[in-house]
Amino acid sequence: LMELILVQRNDVALARLDEVREVSPNGRIALFYGAAHMDGLADGLRERGFVQEGEAVWLPAIEVDLATSNLDPRTLELFRRRIHASLRGE
């Protein structure tokens, strides 16, 4: 599952980037992906000759206030465990 979610989705995004660059080689392009994708996308961009200029800037895509979420503690714990397992590649 992680192969599909991370690696294959990165491959598709990078292939699409290649297609767009062929049509518009000097255009500006943005890739919006979650943090778990960044290492793979960064590797793919470096392989294509891109270099990072300046500091990386992280912006939150979503924030959740658990205190007002109305989720019960058991459900919150299940979410946390699933997210941590996903990040470990399980």
Side-chain angles (χ1 to χ4, degrees):
L1 182 60
M2 291 307 289
E3 168 76 15
L4 172 66
I5 292 172
L6 288 176
V7 177
Q8 291 182 20
R9 285 182 66 200
N10 287 356
D11 291 345
V12 169
L14 291 165
R16 182 67 179 128
L17 171 70
D18 294 338
E19 292 171 9
V20 170
R21 288 181 66 209
E22 284 183 27
V23 175
S24 181
N26 298 317
R28 295 180 68 158
I29 303 167
L31 296 174
F32 295 93
Y33 272 80
H37 292 271
M38 293 301 107
D39 289 340
L41 290 174
D43 290 343
L45 291 171
R46 277 191 293 275
E47 290 169 4
R48 288 161 174 77
F50 287 90
V51 295
Q52 180 176 328
E53 294 181 5
E55 295 288 324
V57 177
W58 291 87
L59 303 172
I62 187 170
E63 293 181 11
V64 177
D65 182 354
L66 296 178
T68 61
S69 69
N70 294 324
L71 291 174
D72 63 274
R74 183 173 181 269
T75 302
L76 288 173
E77 183 58 28
L78 290 172
F79 278 131
R80 284 188 179 109
R81 287 182 185 183
R82 187 62 227 142
I83 290 169
H84 287 134
S86 294
L87 292 173
R88 288 189 305 269
E90 297 175 8

